[in-house]
Amino acid sequence: MNANLEHLVVLQAQDLELKRLRGELAEAPRRVAIAEAARGKAEFSLAAAKQALTKEEVLRRSQESDVADKRGKIARLRKQMDSATSATQINALEHEIKFSEESISKLEDEELASMERTERFETEKAVATDALEKTTAALEAERARAAEVTQRNNAAIKGIETERAALRAQIAATDAGERALSTYDRVSKAKGTGLSEAVDHKCSACQMMVRPQRWNDLTGREHDHEIFTCETCGRMLFWDPRRDAPGSWAAGERLATATHPKPLEPHA
Ligand SMILES: [Zn+2]
């Protein structure tokens, strides 16, 4: 393979890895924010349930005190009945007693309804307490993960950046290399990748066919000084002769292995 192209294959693997590492770095605080929002929601639900419970307790105390007042009033009215002289007076007192008794019955119904609501809010409180515990633990885990990803990826990025700078300098050392590098930079800026592996007469990036003559040039030995581009997407094409070796290579495998430069053995 053309030496510049061989270097660019490694450069592309580095660039893709840098992109992945930076993507994870950007994603980490977003994941923490999502976990924070979930915990905030659980906290809000718990506070709302507690507030509703307090409100019902206050309401029931006031209902109970109202009932006690009305019972006292009935007792007083009954005493007045003992000293009442006219039928009109007795009628009026009886009417007032009946009215107070109805009020007590209504208050007791309301008290029962409040107790039912309390039961519901107690359930909501238990659910929210559980949710708060779980989201608190999830947030802690997400924060720990973010710290770990930040440290790990920053270190990895630093290492790759150093290798990448040296590799780019090495490629740019010749005129042909400099031209290839500038094509790579231009195409990868526009399309995300500047190189594409040619597999089975096709550009593996855009899936368009490579013309037979171009395929022969690409896979032959007479054109090692040239770099061919895909006529459809403009990416520089590379062809791995090891694909002719026994065993199969999945598309992109050459790129993946280029990330960890080591002697490659064709699959047996
Ligand atoms: Zn293409």
Side-chain angles (χ1 to χ4, degrees):
M1 201 194 286
N2 179 293
N4 287 325
L5 203 49
E6 190 109 42
H7 287 143
L8 287 174
V9 167
V10 179
L11 181 65
Q12 174 153 300
Q14 289 176 342
D15 283 342
L16 290 176
E17 180 63 1
L18 284 173
K19 195 177 164 192
R20 187 188 72 78
L21 292 166
R22 292 195 173 112
E24 261 186 11
L25 273 184
E27 185 64 16
R30 281 201 288 269
R31 289 175 57 137
V32 170
I34 289 168
E36 271 170 356
R39 190 190 176 277
K41 209 176 142 193
E43 209 171 21
F44 180 82
S45 298
L46 182 58
K50 281 181 179 172
Q51 201 182 7
L53 283 169
T54 309
K55 202 178 141 197
E56 293 301 331
E57 272 168 37
V58 170
L59 177 68
R60 278 204 303 281
R61 269 204 299 277
S62 121
Q63 286 164 340
E64 277 159 18
S65 120
D66 277 0
V67 167
D69 283 354
K70 297 212 184 301
R71 287 197 200 288
K73 190 180 173 187
I74 289 170
R76 281 197 306 280
L77 290 168
R78 286 199 196 287
K79 262 188 191 149
Q80 283 176 38
M81 284 260 276
D82 293 342
S83 53
T85 48
S86 73
T88 319
Q89 238 182 330
I90 290 170
N91 265 347
L93 286 167
E94 269 177 350
H95 182 77
E96 244 187 293
I97 288 170
K98 194 171 170 254
F99 183 76
S100 290
E101 278 171 348
E102 278 167 6
S103 292
I104 288 173
S105 161
K106 199 173 155 228
L107 278 166
E108 281 171 346
D109 284 350
E110 281 168 6
E111 218 177 317
L112 204 65
S114 164
M115 275 156 84
E116 277 166 11
R117 283 197 298 274
T118 290
E119 222 171 282
R120 208 178 68 228
F121 292 138
E122 286 288 2
T123 309
E124 282 176 18
K125 185 184 156 190
V127 169
T129 302
D130 187 50
L132 185 59
E133 253 174 53
K134 281 180 180 146
T135 52
T136 300
L139 176 60
E140 272 167 27
E142 210 54 81
R143 279 188 178 141
R145 186 190 167 276
E148 194 214 314
V149 163
T150 303
Q151 198 189 22
R152 174 160 38 88
N153 289 21
N154 277 330
I157 287 169
K158 209 176 152 197
I160 295 172
E161 288 278 26
T162 308
E163 284 176 29
R164 183 179 177 271
L167 182 61
R168 286 182 67 92
Q170 194 186 346
I171 299 169
T174 64
D175 288 346
E178 205 169 9
R179 278 197 303 278
L181 191 59
S182 106
T183 304
Y184 170 83
D185 285 342
R186 180 172 49 78
V187 180
S188 61
K189 195 178 168 195
K191 310 216 174 233
T193 50
L195 300 180
S196 170
E197 184 170 8
V199 184
D200 291 337
H201 300 265
K202 269 191 238 165
C203 162
S204 63
C206 72
Q207 299 302 321
M208 294 307 285
M209 296 298 291
V210 176
R211 285 187 295 117
Q213 182 54 52
R214 171 64 50 101
W215 181 263
N216 288 341
D217 292 345
L218 186 66
T219 57
R221 290 186 180 280
E222 307 88 69
H223 296 273
D224 248 11
H225 59 288
E226 281 181 80
I227 292 178
F228 298 102
T229 55
C230 169
E231 288 172 308
T232 308
C233 71
R235 289 182 179 89
M236 289 181 270
L237 292 170
F238 68 94
W239 177 77
D240 192 338
R242 272 167 294 195
R243 284 188 181 277
D244 274 358
S248 60
W249 289 79
E253 201 168 344
R254 178 69 185 83
L255 265 182
T257 42
T259 332
H260 313 284
K262 63 184 175 197
L264 293 167
E265 297 294 331
H267 293 186

